[in-house]
Amino acid sequence: QVQLVESGGGLVQPGGSLRLSCAASGTIFSIDAMGWYRQSPGKQRDLVARITGGSTKYADSVKGRFTISRDNAQNTVYLQMNSLEPEDTAVYYCNAVIVLRNPLRSLEVWGQGTLVTVSS
C-alpha cells in the first residue's frame, strides 16, 4: 500500500508564505514524478507545480512565487509558496507517479489534500 501524507497548510495573510510537504510511504521502487495540484470550490483541479527528475513545471499564475523541490532520499516533495494572494486559496493535493515492482508497474497516487487559506 502506497500513501501520500501532506502537511503545512493553514491560514496566512496576503503577502505571506507557507511551505507544504508531502511524504510518500510504502513499498516503493522509485518515484517518476511528484507534484502539487489545487482545487477551489466550484472549480476543477489544476496543476500548480510538478517535478520530474531535474525538470520543473509551473502554472503561469504561480511562476516566480512558488518553488517545488524534492528530497529523493526521503520520498518527499515540497512546495514553497511566497507572496501568497487570496486567489491562491484552495485545497492543495499532492500527486505522485510511483513505480512498484513484482510486477513492475506505475501507479498514480493522490494525497488527501491540505487547505490553504489566504485572507486578512
Side-chain angles (χ1 to χ4, degrees):
Q1 187 78 3
V2 177
Q3 188 176 17
L4 299 179
V5 178
E6 301 140 335
S7 60
L11 174 64
V12 63
Q13 292 186 342
S17 298
L18 279 177
R19 189 193 194 206
L20 305 183
S21 301
C22 171
S25 63
T27 307
I28 298 170
F29 179 63
S30 65
I31 301 179
D32 282 346
M34 299 188 82
W36 293 92
Y37 290 72
R38 67 186 181 187
Q39 187 169 22
S40 304
K43 295 186 177 181
Q44 66 181 21
R45 189 176 298 186
D46 291 325
L47 174 70
V48 176
R50 190 169 182 84
I51 184 166
T52 305
S55 298
T56 58
K57 180 179 180 180
Y58 295 93
D60 288 342
S61 60
V62 307
K63 285 180 181 177
R65 301 187 297 123
F66 291 10
T67 302
I68 189 169
S69 61
R70 181 172 163 180
D71 182 338
N72 292 327
Q74 299 295 325
N75 289 332
T76 300
V77 65
Y78 304 96
L79 185 68
Q80 178 65 43
M81 304 185 293
N82 299 329
S83 302
L84 282 161
E85 304 167 352
E87 293 73 23
D88 296 315
T89 296
V91 177
Y92 284 70
Y93 294 91
C94 180
N95 172 272
V97 177
I98 294 175
V99 179
L100 308 175
R101 55 182 173 182
N102 300 324
L104 194 65
R105 64 198 186 278
S106 292
L107 178 68
E108 183 176 29
V109 184
W110 290 90
Q112 80 284 357
T114 185
L115 177 62
V116 171
T117 303
V118 184
S119 175
S120 55

